[in-house]
PDB file of all heavy atoms in Angstrom:
ATOM      1  N   GLN A 209       3.007   7.644  30.425  1.00  0.00           N
ATOM      2  CA  GLN A 209       3.928   8.776  30.568  1.00  0.00           C
ATOM      3  C   GLN A 209       4.879   8.589  31.741  1.00  0.00           C
ATOM      4  O   GLN A 209       5.974   9.126  31.757  1.00  0.00           O
ATOM      5  CB  GLN A 209       3.075  10.053  30.724  1.00  0.00           C
ATOM      6  CG  GLN A 209       3.817  11.301  31.039  1.00  0.00           C
ATOM      7  CD  GLN A 209       4.512  11.859  29.797  1.00  0.00           C
ATOM      8  OE1 GLN A 209       4.814  11.130  28.860  1.00  0.00           O
ATOM      9  NE2 GLN A 209       4.782  13.133  29.802  1.00  0.00           N
ATOM     10  N   LYS A 210       4.460   7.757  32.715  1.00  0.00           N
ATOM     11  CA  LYS A 210       5.335   7.533  33.887  1.00  0.00           C
ATOM     12  C   LYS A 210       6.490   6.604  33.556  1.00  0.00           C
ATOM     13  O   LYS A 210       7.423   6.460  34.325  1.00  0.00           O
ATOM     14  CB  LYS A 210       4.513   6.948  35.040  1.00  0.00           C
ATOM     15  CG  LYS A 210       3.513   7.955  35.580  1.00  0.00           C
ATOM     16  CD  LYS A 210       2.879   7.498  36.867  1.00  0.00           C
ATOM     17  CE  LYS A 210       1.798   8.484  37.281  1.00  0.00           C
ATOM     18  NZ  LYS A 210       0.467   7.927  37.358  1.00  0.00           N
ATOM     19  N   LYS A 211       6.399   5.892  32.415  1.00  0.00           N
ATOM     20  CA  LYS A 211       7.500   4.991  32.028  1.00  0.00           C
ATOM     21  C   LYS A 211       8.683   5.846  31.577  1.00  0.00           C
ATOM     22  O   LYS A 211       8.501   6.772  30.770  1.00  0.00           O
ATOM     23  CB  LYS A 211       7.072   4.067  30.871  1.00  0.00           C
ATOM     24  CG  LYS A 211       5.797   3.302  31.125  1.00  0.00           C
ATOM     25  CD  LYS A 211       6.057   2.069  31.949  1.00  0.00           C
ATOM     26  CE  LYS A 211       4.752   1.427  32.347  1.00  0.00           C
ATOM     27  NZ  LYS A 211       4.836   0.445  33.395  1.00  0.00           N
ATOM     28  N   GLU A 212       9.865   5.483  32.077  1.00  0.00           N
ATOM     29  CA  GLU A 212      11.032   6.306  31.753  1.00  0.00           C
ATOM     30  C   GLU A 212      11.365   6.324  30.268  1.00  0.00           C
ATOM     31  O   GLU A 212      11.868   7.298  29.739  1.00  0.00           O
ATOM     32  CB  GLU A 212      12.248   5.752  32.504  1.00  0.00           C
ATOM     33  CG  GLU A 212      12.666   6.686  33.608  1.00  0.00           C
ATOM     34  CD  GLU A 212      13.728   6.065  34.458  1.00  0.00           C
ATOM     35  OE1 GLU A 212      14.692   5.536  33.897  1.00  0.00           O
ATOM     36  OE2 GLU A 212      13.561   6.118  35.690  1.00  0.00           O
ATOM     37  N   SER A 213      11.061   5.205  29.612  1.00  0.00           N
ATOM     38  CA  SER A 213      11.480   5.093  28.206  1.00  0.00           C
ATOM     39  C   SER A 213      10.481   5.731  27.251  1.00  0.00           C
ATOM     40  O   SER A 213      10.663   5.649  26.035  1.00  0.00           O
ATOM     41  CB  SER A 213      11.632   3.616  27.854  1.00  0.00           C
ATOM     42  OG  SER A 213      10.387   2.962  28.045  1.00  0.00           O
ATOM     43  N   LEU A 214       9.420   6.343  27.781  1.00  0.00           N
ATOM     44  CA  LEU A 214       8.365   6.846  26.887  1.00  0.00           C
ATOM     45  C   LEU A 214       8.084   8.329  27.133  1.00  0.00           C
ATOM     46  O   LEU A 214       8.010   8.765  28.280  1.00  0.00           O
ATOM     47  CB  LEU A 214       7.094   6.029  27.114  1.00  0.00           C
ATOM     48  CG  LEU A 214       5.948   6.294  26.148  1.00  0.00           C
ATOM     49  CD1 LEU A 214       5.210   5.002  25.812  1.00  0.00           C
ATOM     50  CD2 LEU A 214       4.966   7.320  26.701  1.00  0.00           C
ATOM     51  N   GLU A 215       7.923   9.062  26.057  1.00  0.00           N
ATOM     52  CA  GLU A 215       7.512  10.467  26.171  1.00  0.00           C
ATOM     53  C   GLU A 215       6.259  10.667  25.350  1.00  0.00           C
ATOM     54  O   GLU A 215       6.198  10.210  24.187  1.00  0.00           O
ATOM     55  CB  GLU A 215       8.595  11.390  25.618  1.00  0.00           C
ATOM     56  CG  GLU A 215       9.779  11.546  26.537  1.00  0.00           C
ATOM     57  CD  GLU A 215      10.779  12.503  25.917  1.00  0.00           C
ATOM     58  OE1 GLU A 215      11.473  12.072  24.976  1.00  0.00           O
ATOM     59  OE2 GLU A 215      10.852  13.661  26.364  1.00  0.00           O
ATOM     60  N   LEU A 216       5.271  11.324  25.933  1.00  0.00           N
ATOM     61  CA  LEU A 216       4.015  11.559  25.219  1.00  0.00           C
ATOM     62  C   LEU A 216       3.781  13.067  25.119  1.00  0.00           C
ATOM     63  O   LEU A 216       3.856  13.767  26.129  1.00  0.00           O
ATOM     64  CB  LEU A 216       2.876  10.881  25.981  1.00  0.00           C
ATOM     65  CG  LEU A 216       1.511  10.839  25.298  1.00  0.00           C
ATOM     66  CD1 LEU A 216       0.733   9.602  25.747  1.00  0.00           C
ATOM     67  CD2 LEU A 216       0.685  12.076  25.577  1.00  0.00           C
ATOM     68  N   PHE A 217       3.529  13.531  23.917  1.00  0.00           N
ATOM     69  CA  PHE A 217       3.265  14.958  23.701  1.00  0.00           C
ATOM     70  C   PHE A 217       1.871  15.131  23.131  1.00  0.00           C
ATOM     71  O   PHE A 217       1.473  14.367  22.239  1.00  0.00           O
ATOM     72  CB  PHE A 217       4.284  15.544  22.705  1.00  0.00           C
ATOM     73  CG  PHE A 217       5.708  15.421  23.173  1.00  0.00           C
ATOM     74  CD1 PHE A 217       6.488  14.330  22.782  1.00  0.00           C
ATOM     75  CD2 PHE A 217       6.275  16.380  24.000  1.00  0.00           C
ATOM     76  CE1 PHE A 217       7.807  14.201  23.221  1.00  0.00           C
ATOM     77  CE2 PHE A 217       7.595  16.258  24.435  1.00  0.00           C
ATOM     78  CZ  PHE A 217       8.365  15.167  24.046  1.00  0.00           C
TER      79      PHE A 217
END
Side-chain angles (χ1 to χ4, degrees):
Q209 173 77 335
K210 292 191 185 119
K211 307 278 172 195
E212 251 172 48
S213 60
L214 187 143
E215 284 181 285
L216 188 150
F217 300 94

